[in-house]
Amino acid sequence: MRAIEQDRLGGPEVLNLVEVDRPEPGPAEVLVRVHAVGVNPTDFWHRETGGLLGRPVRLGWDLSGVVEAAGVGAALFRPGDEVFGMPRLPQPAGTYAEYVAAPSRHLARKPAGLSHVQAAGLGLAGLTAWQALVDVADVQPGQRVLVHAAAGGVGHLAVQIAKARGAHVIGTASAAKHAFVRGLGADEVIDYTTTDFAERLHDLDVIVDSIGGEYGPRSLRTLRPGGILVALASPAETYLEEAAARQGKRARFMIVEPDAAGLSSLAGLVGTRQLRVEVDAVLPLEQVAKAHQIGQTGRTKGKIILTL
């Protein structure tokens, strides 16, 4: 089968299209014929650093496709079922490939009204937003929620999930993306290039920050006592937990985890038209380097997808 592999760390140029053996599904696993794969910032980081991956490096965690075969004990899906998900993270999954063997409970049935291209963009980013807002922050109706990078892969889904939970949603984005973010349901949008959100906002209940760096300390200033910041960018941000506690607030660094129940909840929101996946660019697998180059500009709206 075709797959993307790298034998050294570096920029997009290290990504190679290779022929490798097709995997076999183990116990409680299914073999998925991949139709589309989502590209995520964590892919760029692992490409450059190796992260938790072995050698050779095989990237990718998002996928949407069709079950080709089921391993012993994998009772949830049968061959022909359309599925999507985010298997194994933070362990290697290697979804930049024609076939992937994945634990069956790291997947969910693809909503009938969602294409494989759209579904491939929902797993990692959607679960990140869902787990941050629902599992960690427990967003309630009427709360004030700030989503940084609200036009991005995680951000544009977080805006919609927070609205579905009944929150008043504020997003940060460049002026060119304001109409898009408002179209997602945001009640307010702040142009981060001209306005200091930390000076304008106060008494927020929840903040989702996928940017990191100085955004974390500045965001803490805008929280109400007892409010929570969910940091997504870097493990180094665990220092925010102590800083928040000194202010009578809360902060949590979060790594997204495989979650079939969360995937099903996202599928439910898609089914009730409370959630849609914006796809910025679609490229064939062999143009993976170009996809990474586009993604690392930081100028995309929604997701970049590779197709097979």
Side-chain angles (χ1 to χ4, degrees):
M1 70 171 186
R2 295 182 304 152
I4 299 299
E5 189 174 277
Q6 60 183 96
D7 55 13
R8 58 193 172 93
L9 305 178
E13 71 280 357
V14 305
L15 299 171
N16 301 308
L17 184 66
V18 298
E19 287 286 336
V20 298
D21 292 337
R22 193 176 86 170
E24 294 295 330
E29 292 185 344
V30 293
L31 180 68
V32 179
R33 172 68 169 93
V34 179
H35 284 227
V37 181
V39 174
N40 296 285
T42 191
D43 301 345
F44 313 148
W45 182 77
H46 279 87
R47 188 199 69 225
E48 294 171 349
T49 69
L52 300 174
L53 305 182
R55 299 291 187 277
V57 174
R58 292 183 183 172
L59 296 177
W61 283 275
D62 269 333
L63 66 79
S64 182
V66 178
V67 173
E68 183 87 358
V72 60
L76 292 180
F77 303 113
R78 307 314 304 163
D81 288 344
E82 294 186 322
V83 295
F84 77 108
M86 183 203 71
R88 302 191 190 278
L89 195 146
Q91 303 305 314
T95 62
Y96 287 16
E98 288 185 303
Y99 291 90
V100 171
S104 65
R105 291 183 182 272
H106 290 183
L107 306 170
R109 294 185 184 277
K110 182 181 74 64
L114 206 62
S115 69
H116 283 294
V117 166
Q118 293 168 313
L122 184 57
L124 191 151
L127 280 180
T128 301
W130 179 268
Q131 290 172 8
L133 289 165
V134 180
D135 297 340
V136 178
D138 190 25
V139 169
Q140 298 297 310
Q143 288 190 323
R144 287 162 48 82
V145 176
L146 171 63
V147 178
H148 286 306
V154 172
H156 89 287
L157 298 172
V159 167
Q160 297 173 78
I161 292 168
K163 284 303 296 182
R165 301 278 291 184
H168 177 94
V169 182
I170 306 159
T172 61
S174 62
K177 297 176 181 176
H178 280 205
F180 169 65
V181 176
R182 288 190 181 278
L184 298 170
D187 300 284
E188 304 176 49
V189 190
I190 295 174
D191 183 356
Y192 67 90
T193 67
T194 62
T195 304
D196 183 354
F197 72 90
E199 295 295 331
R200 175 169 165 180
L201 300 174
H202 56 86
D203 293 329
L204 297 175
D205 296 285
V206 177
I207 301 171
V208 176
D209 176 24
S210 59
I211 300 174
E214 49 90 21
Y215 265 66
R218 290 170 61 204
S219 294
L220 284 180
R221 290 161 44 192
T222 69
L223 282 174
R224 64 164 175 80
I228 185 168
L229 165 67
V230 185
L232 305 173
S234 167
E237 294 180 329
T238 53
Y239 79 93
L240 290 171
E241 297 188 13
E242 291 184 4
R246 290 193 295 268
Q247 301 175 36
K249 303 169 182 178
R250 295 174 293 152
R252 298 289 185 274
F253 169 69
M254 190 201 87
I255 296 176
V256 65
E257 302 175 58
D259 178 6
L263 290 170
S264 295
S265 295
L266 293 169
L269 289 179
V270 170
T272 57
R273 299 187 178 182
Q274 294 176 282
L275 184 65
R276 64 182 176 88
V277 180
E278 178 75 10
V279 176
D280 188 276
V282 181
L283 297 165
L285 181 67
E286 54 266 29
Q287 293 186 28
V288 61
K290 182 178 179 180
H292 277 223
Q293 290 166 355
I294 294 170
Q296 290 191 276
T297 65
R299 301 193 186 110
T300 56
K301 290 191 301 184
K303 298 288 298 182
I304 298 170
I305 305 297
L306 298 169
T307 56
L308 293 92

